[in-house]
Amino acid sequence: MKTQKTPDKKTETCKYIFVIGGVISGVGKGVAASSIARILQDRGKTVTALKIDPYINIDAGTMNPTEHGEVFVLDDGYECDQDMGNYERFLNINLSKINYMTTGVVYQSVIDKERNLEYAGKCVEVVPHIPMEVIRRIETARDNAKANVVVIEIGGTVGEYQNMLFLEAARMMKIKYNRDVFFVMVSYLPIPSKIGEMKTKPTQYAVRTLNASGIQPDIIIARSKQSIDGPRKEKISMFCNIPTDRVISAPDVESIYDIPINFEKEGLGDMICDVVDMTCGPAFGKSAKEWQKFAGSTHSPKEEVHIAIIGKYFNTGDFTLSDSYLSVIEAIKYSAYALHRKPVITWLSSVDFEKDPKKIKSLSKYDGILVPGGFGSRGIEGKIKAIEYARKNNIPYFGLCYGMQLMVVEYARNVLGLKDANTREINPKSKNLIIDVMEDQKDKIKNKKLGGTMRLGAYPATLLKDSVAANAYRAKNISERHRHRYEVNNAYREDLEKAGLVFSGVSPDGHLAEIAELPNSKHPFFLGTQFHPEFKARPLSPHPLFSAFVKACIKSNKK
Ligand code: GLN
């Protein structure tokens, strides 16, 4: 029976490292998991990474970015948690749908299999069938990547009801199926201000709770404001059943890119290779040096480049704000660092430009303006005003998805003179629907089939020779990731082109506008993409369009 195929004796040498969070969420478990994966990859291992989220949601596409953070999109179109972006960026690999699962996805597969009689008349139970489906997915991800190390991050914190079945899957993998399974607990050590001392008790409790699930951590990563000292390492060792040297200090750092390097310096790489009994290459080999060079570049730039991001998903404070547009920020950073600049990113709410139109002039102090992806009507007119300001004042402008659609609307309104130009998403009654719904989306919207049904994932595009886009990519054919329901209305393309806008990237059949731009002779940089280039920007290979944008910003530098 397919679902039961997991062998119960050791037949392979793959190592499975589960990363589990203790005490509180938000301590950088995802970055810790990515960093562990990275240092093992640097030591010559073929590594893949999975994230398990406890939600019932089938994907992250239906979650609000202000609550859950950015929705990351994979090549295969799967809408997932932003941690998947961290894995792709740290490991410089492309992941797929199988590398991400939620409670909802796992239950749905089990129920589908039950309906298909795949359980051969057996009573299907929460345990073992749900954990077994989790294990099957982990193994499929391993096979797809031909990995010899699989890093699996279990979302949530130890002690939560929601992730218990995932811990059970990990336990079963180790005990029942005799796999080489190891546990890293990323814990948090508070330093209460009134006491002024780093406290280990919450970690002790977290480990005991984990023990109750039949799991003993092999390594504890001690996240805190500062480094953990000897006496506290001893305490954790004593009460958490772990040798002192298996407690790894992980103080707050300025740059997340330093974390793999700090882990190596703390001896984590050697320790993991030893604990999991695996022959690994040396620390700080050739590929680690490339990472070190990149991490070093994030500290040194003296000159700044000032970029304003105009969005709306940041009304719950700074912390959420940066998470909503995580990949965009990362993409800007990689290009800025590669160009030896410190990126200074300012968040502006487009709603403010609507409330106080005079505020638009404040945009003059930025070297560049970016409007990222988005949905719905709030703040739209403010975004259009900002785009108009950038166009008229020769400020480099980069529009991503919605930012491209609104750029075309702005051009239609103010250059073509179609005053009521709009996108159907905002005003279906407009006579000039410059951006219209894609044909295959009509039924989906009508029948409210809205989850996972946009035009999602990687699609190819062909670039126009000598355009700004083609010069940036230095290529004719590209592939980029998408997430949209609306598109440039072809009925207006000719008029827009006559008025000077260039569609420099189109789908191979020419039907879909993928990139709109003004030529260099007319504007220093005025370009929008229907796709999301930010999802493919990597620390060690910055995205060509972001680099072209940041270059233009540097050139236009006003300070
Ligand atoms: N709301 C627009 C659409 O669905 C743009 C989407 C986006 O920016 N990701 O087409």
Side-chain angles (χ1 to χ4, degrees), residues 441-493:
Q441 291 290 330
K442 287 181 180 161
D443 275 351
K444 293 171 187 162
I445 297 175
K446 201 168 133 213
N447 300 321
K448 288 213 156 50
K449 290 218 169 346
L450 298 175
T453 59
M454 283 186 250
R455 179 172 180 248
L456 292 165
Y459 286 93
T462 315
L463 304 182
L464 183 73
K465 201 166 176 264
D466 294 330
S467 59
V468 176
N471 289 342
Y473 277 103
R474 292 188 208 185
K476 191 168 180 291
N477 300 303
I478 57 163
S479 168
E480 292 282 2
R481 296 180 187 175
H482 297 70
R483 183 171 185 247
H484 64 119
R485 279 190 212 282
Y486 298 84
E487 62 174 329
V488 173
N489 184 344
N490 283 336
Y492 291 90
R493 242 159 83 176

Side-chain angles (χ1 to χ4, degrees), residues 372-376 400-403 405 425 454 483-487 530 532:
F375 296 85
L400 311 177
C401 203
Y402 218 5
Q405 296 175 354
E425 191 172 353
M454 283 186 250
R483 183 171 185 247
H484 64 119
R485 279 190 212 282
Y486 298 84
E487 62 174 329
Q530 182 56 81
H532 290 269

Side-chain angles (χ1 to χ4, degrees), residues 524-539:
F525 191 94
F526 192 72
L527 184 145
T529 61
Q530 182 56 81
F531 49 83
H532 290 269
E534 68 272 23
F535 293 143
K536 285 183 67 172
R538 306 267 165 90

Side-chain angles (χ1 to χ4, degrees), residues 53-74:
D53 263 336
Y55 316 105
I56 302 286
N57 301 58
I58 295 295
D59 56 44
T62 53
M63 291 190 239
N64 182 337
T66 35
E67 268 168 45
H68 183 71
E70 165 191 270
V71 178
F72 193 78
V73 181
L74 302 176

Side-chain angles (χ1 to χ4, degrees), residues 428-445:
K429 292 202 185 98
S430 156
K431 284 203 194 68
N432 291 293
L433 288 172
I434 304 298
I435 306 296
D436 208 347
V437 66
M438 301 178 78
E439 203 44 48
D440 65 339
Q441 291 290 330
K442 287 181 180 161
D443 275 351
K444 293 171 187 162
I445 297 175

